[in-house]
Amino acid sequence: MIKIYGMSGSPFVRRTELVLVEKSIDYELIALSRDDGDLQTTEYLAKNPRGRVPVMEDGDLTLYESQAIVEYLEERYPEPTLIPKDFGDRGHMRVAEMECLIYFSNALTALARAVFMVAPENRDKDKVSSALHDVSLELDRLEQRGSSRGDVYLMGDNMTRVDLTWLPFVELVGRAGAGIDDKKYGWTKKWRSTLSARPSYDKTYPAHWR
């Protein structure tokens, strides 16, 4: 059975789990704790020298970096497919994935540092405001991408891996205290509602959020 080493709440881990569940692949989630030093043990650093999550083990194969893992899963377990048939669409899908993993992720990290890692009375209002602004810009791009296609999912009428990539990151916006305005982000709200109704959403919901 595939093993996934991860931390509860990590969007990188959850996107990997979402792919596994949508493909009906059995896996074991091994929960790690940063506070307990699990990511810096000699054993774990042998799996991922960067000390990050997720790490996947499939038999004798060990992979880290969520993008490498989901690409492997698509090729190793091609059915049901989570990528478009058209090669051009596949390219656009990967662009949208990287925009999430790099730009949106960075904006969320800055927001988390300004909100979660500082006591409420010590928070820098300017840093929080700047971080919220950057998150809003990325949400604007997501809304434009989805609404311009007029479809249910980011790549059309069929769900693809890019939806499973963006979803866990968008989920963090509300938890960071930045609500998603219904009027401004109408398509995004509907898209999130559609995905949250899938069984994979509940099966991968972080334990400490319940």
Side-chain angles (χ1 to χ4, degrees):
M1 181 183 292
I2 287 178
K3 294 181 179 179
I4 298 294
Y5 296 81
M7 293 188 303
S8 180
S10 164
F12 297 96
V13 173
R14 194 177 183 193
R15 75 179 290 234
T16 304
E17 289 191 84
L18 284 165
V19 168
L20 285 161
V21 174
E22 288 289 345
K23 285 183 168 291
S24 299
I25 302 171
D26 290 333
Y27 71 99
E28 177 187 3
L29 177 63
I30 300 172
L32 303 177
S33 169
R34 187 188 303 277
D35 292 340
D36 291 342
D38 294 342
L39 304 185
Q40 296 301 315
T41 65
T42 300
E43 180 182 7
Y44 189 73
L45 290 174
K47 304 178 190 298
N48 182 351
R50 294 187 178 275
R52 297 181 178 180
V53 292
V55 165
M56 182 204 72
E57 290 181 340
D58 188 8
D60 295 332
L61 175 68
T62 300
L63 284 178
Y64 59 92
E65 297 297 343
S66 65
Q67 188 66 20
I69 293 171
V70 298
E71 292 280 3
Y72 166 80
L73 291 172
E74 185 63 39
E75 294 179 353
R76 177 71 176 81
Y77 306 94
E79 297 296 334
T81 184
L82 291 176
I83 60 176
K85 293 181 179 180
D86 181 80
F87 288 111
D89 285 342
R90 291 183 187 182
H92 286 297
M93 179 198 72
R94 290 184 171 98
V95 168
E97 283 183 310
M98 298 314 295
E99 286 186 334
C100 176
L101 297 173
I102 297 173
Y103 305 112
F104 194 41
S105 174
N106 286 344
L108 278 175
T109 297
L111 180 59
R113 287 174 177 169
V115 174
F116 294 136
M117 299 182 183
V118 181
E121 65 273 14
N122 295 327
R123 288 173 186 164
D124 186 318
K125 292 183 179 180
D126 290 337
K127 286 185 178 180
V128 173
S129 177
S130 177
L132 285 170
H133 173 72
D134 290 343
V135 166
S136 294
L137 288 179
E138 296 306 324
L139 285 175
D140 289 347
R141 293 186 174 97
L142 175 66
E143 178 75 12
Q144 193 281 329
R145 182 188 295 276
S147 61
S148 66
R149 300 179 69 90
D151 295 313
V152 177
Y153 299 105
L154 282 166
M155 293 304 301
D157 292 329
N158 298 315
M159 186 189 70
T160 63
R161 199 175 65 209
V162 69
D163 298 293
L164 306 180
T165 296
W166 273 90
L167 178 63
F169 287 89
V170 171
E171 290 284 286
L172 288 176
V173 173
R175 298 193 68 83
I180 299 178
D181 182 82
D182 289 356
K183 294 181 179 180
K184 185 177 182 182
Y185 300 114
W187 182 90
T188 299
K189 294 283 286 190
K190 184 177 180 180
W191 164 84
R192 179 183 173 278
S193 178
T194 298
L195 289 171
S196 66
R198 299 182 69 88
S200 61
Y201 180 89
D202 185 65
K203 289 182 179 180
T204 63
Y205 196 82
H208 74 287
W209 290 5
R210 295 185 185 277

